[in-house]
Amino acid sequence: MSDVTNYSLADFHYNNNPDVLAPPADFEAWINHPKVQQAFSFTGQQLLKAPAAQTEILSNIDGKRRPMINMTSYNYLGLSTHPEVIQAAQEAAAKYGMSSSGAPLVSGTLDIHVQLTKMIAKLKQKEDALIFSSGYGGNVGALQAIMRKGDFIIFDEKSHKSLIDGGVLSGAKMLFFDHNNMQSLEQMLEKAKGKRTLIVAEGVYSMDGDICDLPGIVKLSEAYNAPIYLDEAHSSLMFGEHGGGIGEHFGLEDKIGINYGTMSKSFGGVGGFIATKASLARYMKGYASSWNFSCAPSPPVTAAMIKSVEVATRDSSLRNAMWANTRYMKENLQAMGADIGDSNSQVIPLIIGPSGEKLFSYTAELQLRGLFLQPIDYPAVPAHARRFRISVSSQFTKAMMDTALNVIEDVIIKGLKTSRTP
Ligand SMILES: Cc1ncc(COP(=O)(O)O)c(C=O)c1O
């Protein structure tokens, strides 16, 4: 291994070590190298307070407590710490306890699960919904439930791992189209012609912040009779006049066969959901293993998510604040010459290029200057486009944004211009 920085986790998963309990020797050599240790020192960074816009960490660099402006969490609408949401969770914990204590079909369904399910279906303008204990589990369970060996699933190449894993579990043949490229999607649809086929795309792509070409996808979906599965993890409650997501944004909700979302981002909680027609929802309840073989979502979280949907949809104030902050951040980042890719959402990549060393040294300097912005490394993003990723929140104040922008300019923009590694 000449240069450890040329390697990543993508290189060590498959190995033929006869002892399945022993990590491969080359992985051990790589992970213990000081440069790799430095990179991994930023993973699992402990937060000592809520992941709000202002938080505190126990620094992995020097073990000190540090107040931080937090631009790395998915708490886009600040609902994780909204007083009404917290109160709903507290009341539910007192009334129902901490666990649903059963799978939904057996003994785990509470009245609040039914209530939340109806609210999600209404938000997505569908007949019914399923709520899962995890967002990851929602995608895996939904795809595994409806697709089979002999079917085709055509994914945007930037699809989240939970979608890919669902595809693998389903046994369907998996094809990938070039990111958001309708010509490439059509080529894949031609390959799958005559087979049961599902198109999988995301509303907002989580590493780039660009939105899918839903009108283009709908056109091809209709031409090839291939329904659409849309992952709206980063667009639910954010896009559309009523927070319905990208489907509502384009006025194409009814063209989406299955609309998926997670409650770990704008909703400020945890858990996943799908919304679809009633007959399919009923079918999926029998076959989505992560739904029917897994405990129903925890009561405090369920009650909190009911309140989150209520707060986020009773008016558009949180959404408007988040969009105003997104515009402010983007305008200023662009003015200082930052490469923010093709973002047209609250997810703003700050692309720094191929150097892992720069990525991690900038991470440390940002942290020491009070800005919590976690590095995104290959293989999560292409090796030539390592980056930071700003998650804009309605909670940011102008003072926070100005401070953060100054730090970004000093550390990243000036660093890249001078090729300096701090
Ligand atoms: C596009 C997308 N889908 C699904 C998920 C899984 O959601 P969760 O983290 O709530 O399990 C994520 C999480 O980051 C995501 O970005």
Side-chain angles (χ1 to χ4, degrees):
M1 214 178 292
S2 52
D3 182 357
V4 288
T5 58
N6 289 334
Y7 293 84
S8 77
L9 285 175
D11 295 306
F12 302 104
H13 192 195
Y14 298 97
N15 80 91
N16 55 7
N17 192 330
D19 180 356
V20 294
L21 299 183
D26 54 353
F27 172 79
E28 292 283 281
W30 175 74
I31 197 91
N32 288 317
H33 190 283
K35 279 187 184 172
V36 180
Q37 286 284 301
Q38 188 221 7
F40 275 87
S41 72
F42 294 106
T43 60
Q45 172 63 69
Q46 289 179 63
L47 276 73
L48 301 171
K49 292 184 177 166
Q54 186 68 55
T55 191
E56 191 180 5
I57 63 167
L58 182 64
S59 172
N60 281 354
I61 299 172
D62 54 12
K64 289 192 180 144
R65 299 174 78 106
R66 280 218 173 78
M68 287 281 147
I69 295 171
N70 175 13
M71 295 201 161
T72 218
S73 296
Y74 297 133
N75 193 10
Y76 300 132
L77 298 178
L79 288 167
S80 167
T81 50
H82 193 286
E84 290 178 61
V85 174
I86 291 171
Q87 191 186 341
Q90 285 169 334
E91 286 171 6
K95 181 172 175 185
Y96 298 96
M98 291 307 295
S99 176
S100 306
S101 301
L105 284 183
V106 186
S107 56
T109 298
L110 304 172
D111 55 350
I112 48 178
H113 292 123
V114 176
Q115 194 184 340
L116 178 59
T117 300
K118 285 185 179 155
M119 289 173 86
I120 295 289
K122 183 166 174 239
L123 177 73
K124 294 294 183 177
Q125 306 210 27
K126 297 288 179 202
E127 292 169 353
D128 204 356
L130 267 71
I131 51 172
F132 299 77
S133 302
S134 122
Y136 173 89
N139 268 337
V140 170
L143 290 177
Q144 162 262 316
I146 58 169
M147 302 307 283
R148 302 277 173 278
K149 194 163 181 233
D151 296 345
F152 278 71
I153 311 178
I154 304 181
F155 297 89
D156 185 289
E157 65 178 345
K158 293 204 172 169
S159 293
H160 190 262
K161 185 80 164 86
S162 52
L163 293 162
I164 307 301
D165 288 357
V168 170
L169 193 58
S170 76
K173 185 152 177 61
M174 296 162 63
L175 300 177
F176 295 85
F177 63 98
D178 295 346
H179 178 53
N180 234 352
N181 180 326
M182 294 305 108
Q183 222 180 343
S184 172
L185 172 57
E186 183 155 23
Q187 283 164 4
M188 295 304 141
L189 284 162
E190 279 293 328
K191 285 190 186 177
K193 225 171 176 175
K195 301 282 186 190
R196 277 171 27 116
T197 303
L198 184 70
I199 301 171
V200 174
E202 293 181 20
V204 165
Y205 286 88
S206 58
M207 295 297 159
D208 296 271
D210 56 336
I211 65 176
C212 72
D213 177 4
L214 188 59
I217 295 174
V218 166
K219 227 186 252 174
L220 289 170
S221 155
E222 290 181 338
Y224 285 84
N225 197 22
I228 300 169
Y229 183 109
L230 191 65
D231 177 330
E232 295 229 51
H234 295 271
S235 47
S236 295
L237 296 185
M238 310 293 283
F239 280 78
E241 198 187 333
H242 305 98
I246 288 292
E248 187 189 9
H249 171 77
F250 284 114
L252 293 169
E253 306 91 314
D254 58 324
K255 305 290 184 188
I256 300 166
I258 299 178
N259 197 313
Y260 162 93
T262 167
M263 293 181 276
S264 64
K265 315 222 183 304
S266 52
F267 292 70
V270 68
F273 61 80
I274 61 97
T276 187
K277 59 184 176 186
S279 57
L280 186 62
R282 193 174 53 216
Y283 175 76
M284 285 169 80
K285 284 178 187 174
Y287 296 101
S289 300
S290 59
W291 187 82
N292 67 10
F293 288 95
S294 189
C295 190
S298 162
V301 170
T302 307
M305 295 305 91
I306 290 171
K307 189 53 79 177
S308 280
V309 176
E310 211 179 292
V311 171
T313 56
R314 69 186 171 205
D315 61 42
S316 49
S317 55
L318 290 177
R319 220 168 9 263
N320 292 346
M322 179 278 299
W323 284 120
N325 288 347
T326 299
R327 279 191 296 276
Y328 189 76
M329 288 299 294
K330 277 188 181 164
E331 279 163 17
N332 282 283
L333 287 166
Q334 275 166 330
M336 64 176 78
D339 178 0
I340 63 165
D342 297 323
S343 165
N344 36 26
S345 72
Q346 77 289 355
V347 178
I348 311 176
L350 207 49
I351 299 168
I352 66 141
S355 168
E357 255 170 278
K358 281 185 187 169
L359 181 70
F360 294 112
S361 56
Y362 293 166
T363 307
E365 194 168 331
L366 292 171
Q367 192 194 103
L368 294 172
R369 293 194 50 179
L371 179 58
F372 189 41
L373 209 48
Q374 286 291 75
I376 312 282
D377 196 9
Y378 175 79
V381 292
H384 66 271
R386 292 169 216 257
R387 66 193 63 184
F388 295 94
R389 185 180 48 162
I390 296 171
S391 299
V392 178
S393 171
S394 57
Q395 288 183 322
F396 293 174
T397 62
K398 185 168 178 300
M400 283 177 191
M401 291 191 284
D402 288 341
T403 305
L405 286 162
N406 275 335
V407 173
I408 289 169
E409 184 159 33
D410 278 357
V411 176
I412 299 176
I413 308 299
K414 288 184 186 160
L416 287 174
K417 270 188 195 143
T418 58
S419 277
R420 169 183 68 96
T421 44

